[in-house]
Amino acid sequence: MSWLDGVPLVGREEELRELREALAPRRIVVLTGPPGSGKSALARHVTPRGSSSPQVFRVEDIGLRERPEVTLLRLLESLGARPGRLTAAIGAPADGLLEPVIEICRRELADRIRPVLVVDGARGPLLDALQSVLDGTDCQVLAVAEEEGIPPAAYTYELGDLALPAARRLISDTTGYSYASGYLYSSAATGEAAGDRLVRPATLDRPALTPLALRIGAALAGTGGKVGELPDTLPRLVDLALARLNRDAARLCDALAALTGPGGLWLPDELVAHLLPGADSSDGHRTRNATAELRELRLLERDKRGVRLHRAVAEQVTRHWSPEQVADRAVAAALPLLREARRSPALVADHATTYLLLLTRVLPTEDPEARGFSAYLAGELAHRGKVFELLALRQCVRHTLGEDGDAEADADLAAAPALALRRCEEPGLARVVLSRDDPAPSELLQLALLERDLGRLHETERLLAGLSAGRGADGWVLHTKAAVACDRGDLRGVGPLLRRAIEAHQVAGDLRGEAWAVLEYGRWCLLRGDFEAAVKRLSAARVMFLDIKDAYGRDCADIELLRLSAVSRANGRPVADWQNSDVRALWQPPVRSWAVAWRALHAAMLAEGTVAGPAVGVVAGSVSGTDVGPLGGSDGGSVVGPDTGPIAGSSFVGPGPAPFAALQRLDNAVDPVGGAWHTHCLGIREDRRTYLEAAARAFGDTGCPHGQAWSALELGIRQPEHGPSRHALARARALFESLGDEAGKAWTDLAQAVLDGEPPPRGVLWELSRRYAPQLLAGIEWPEEHGRFRIPRAARHTIPEPRHDGLARFPTTESRIRLTLLDDTPAADDAARIALRLVPGVHHPWAGAAGPALPWLSARAVPLTSAEVQPEHAVTIRPSAADDPDAGAEFRFTPRRPGRHRIRFVVEHHDTGTVLQEVETEIDVTDARGSVPSAAPPLTEPLRGR
């Protein structure tokens, strides 16, 4: 809305009624009138057909040289048209673009209910094009135009000057001054005593002024005191106002006039600050003061979009300039704005149309910097998915530069629509753009990225290999090669590639390229299992994308941070918890369907605890353990009641609809690799071989051997009627070996040993324990405990390097302390019994040993609070099976006061006195009988989860 919108149309009530009546039966009406007569303001107030809320779409600031197809493309953007409608226009030549764009506008408007187009600044060719657009639609057009160039057949409504009473009312209503006896007074009352007599505007006695002239005249009278009789024409009034300007205001006015031209141009405040020579962010008051002076004299209008010099004022300022001077001054004013956009790409995100219009005003010049900016602007528009503005820019460049443009810049401009269409999830149209017989390197890069989007990783690698030889240290090529290697699961050589890519982007000053390279670096760290480095890089990339206002990159960073949260939590290291309020506060709704799908799936996995599998969960009432000897573990810390069994639970929740919905959205978003991984995860979750087989085929089609290997491994450990599939395991091992994935090979060897009924090889256990956290390994489901063998789901999300101590802590190879509370109502001064038992795992050497071969151990309990434990001395025990009722030791715990009590249990070797294990538990005691005690969370994590 302009400040004119808030001003009543004083004296224009009759014209407004007539214009509405003229528009009601007609498809197109052209509103004309002298400069400053209020055409734009009147057009904003027209409500056609008597509708209180019509669909009104406006296109303003149409430049003198702006071609009709460019204006129509801007109209399509304001209509919110889908890029998929551009099929006929996307590959059209420069001279053949108008007809396809007209047809697209016609189809878009045909879907609307009584739309109204308000086109401010229309000329003959555009009016002819709009007439063609209207065919077959229920649309109306109100065009604001100068008198020249109007087709003879068009219905024209001419707006004249204000009548004398209306002029007087306008001055009184807009300035607060009063008019009486040919004089303006500085207060609402009249007469010498009521206020100073400001001016005798004799011209008010004969109606010859437009609204703009009246406002400027009133402003001059208000700022100049008793200045005598005012001029009676708008040009003379403008000249008088210009003479009043100080140095900064005059310079700002000249710059705005050079940029505005006959078409008008809204400039946001962030850009106006760079128009004043010598002004910067540290002395913005100079720009504010200059803008305020121009507004005070009514030479400038302002609204939420920024400021705009009145076209009549711009014409008066430039009337004595030659065309060459106008061009030179326009370039001088525009270059600081273009340079600022290079330093701060977020400006293009906020003001894409403004920069497009700026460029059209300076492209006809010979300035190389202005011409070079076209390639930069094309890249920015493409990365943000601004397809319509990008096509408009390409059309302007084609008609302005013709065949004289730089060949490499032309190739970049030709490849930019493909990138924009990829961002808008239109791969089919992107392929049409890239279907040339002899593509340039920039087009080959976009084709490689398109192949990656479509899941053709082998073809992507082939195209990138051809580019690497000819483009040197191209950061985009380098980090894309690294990304594809991560997609395939082959991390060899990825680190050097990414470091070279980051350096190349920094040298080139490419902020967006550097952000993408840092994002891929964080993703590589995540795959390697380096969670601390991953969260630093991914968070840094997210901040960089926010700085340049790249919503697509922000979505990618959010997804990777969510994936990091899931995987790191499964490994017992929640470095980026998605539930933290500070993380949620930074997140914004994703803008692409694939981002919605990925985030929904990762959020569902986190909420349901499905990442690591059902064996890993939150243990309520756990007993903590500290590994100090060869026993190497505890029983998860479960406190057991006399009848109910362990109350330790799992956070795993049964199958739900969220992952299925996410999979469907990924399929719709054309993400074959993501869809294959979702199908794989669903096969694991539902224990369905059909899903795993489908995932294996999808991974083979996309060229993702990492996914193929894991699908083959999971198929191999699921035993059909004819027994385990040795062929599947052999294929999985071969694929892991081809990728250099030692962790994958170890999982395959472990699965083969378990399915053969053999103990896990010590070398395999050692290899896994030095690559994975104990918390993840604790999620393995062993046949002896669960009746089947299953690998934790989080294991497939990383290809970890050795970074753990390799002590081979596995539940089946450890002996665990099991504590059982035998009395369920401990109260102050009442004894409660606690049973302690040492249970060796099925693969522990003590598990199959005979009684005499088992060592004697000592167990003692030490109260850490106001309580007594009997016996006070150590009790001799031996390892025993979990179902042996006579094994272990029993202690009597007598609390002396209510509250939370702590007890430490120590197990030692009987002969040597070596401490093998220490665990602590906490028990809540009340002074009321019958209350249920609650065990506190562990003081430290159970050894099984360490």
Side-chain angles (χ1 to χ4, degrees), residues 7-24:
V7 176
L9 290 175
V10 180
R12 294 298 194 191
E13 294 82 2
E14 183 65 20
E15 288 88 341
L16 183 60
R17 182 187 60 79
E18 293 175 354
L19 185 57
R20 287 172 175 169
E21 292 178 354
L23 187 60

Side-chain angles (χ1 to χ4, degrees), residues 123-257:
R123 290 171 177 79
L126 177 58
L127 292 173
D128 293 336
L130 289 172
Q131 188 67 56
S132 300
V133 167
L134 296 181
D135 294 339
T137 70
D138 191 26
C139 179
Q140 290 179 296
V141 174
L142 176 60
V144 180
E146 306 299 334
E147 295 184 359
E148 65 272 10
I150 300 176
Y155 180 85
T156 303
Y157 184 90
E158 184 173 0
L159 191 62
D161 292 329
L162 286 172
L164 178 58
R168 293 172 175 174
R169 286 168 51 204
L170 176 65
I171 290 179
S172 177
D173 291 348
T174 59
T175 65
Y177 303 146
S178 61
Y179 177 86
S181 304
Y183 286 88
L184 284 178
Y185 288 89
S186 59
S187 67
T190 59
E192 293 287 346
D196 292 333
R197 183 188 298 172
L198 297 178
V199 65
R200 179 183 174 87
T203 52
L204 291 182
D205 292 327
R206 62 181 199 279
L209 292 182
T210 62
L212 178 60
L214 289 170
R215 290 190 176 93
I216 294 176
L220 287 170
T223 59
K226 301 177 181 180
V227 296
E229 190 171 294
L230 291 175
D232 58 357
T233 63
L234 178 60
R236 294 177 61 191
L237 283 167
V238 172
D239 286 341
L240 183 58
L242 294 175
R244 294 273 188 90
L245 299 177
N246 62 30
R247 180 182 178 88
D248 283 344
R251 287 183 174 183
L252 181 59
C253 186
D254 287 348
L256 289 171

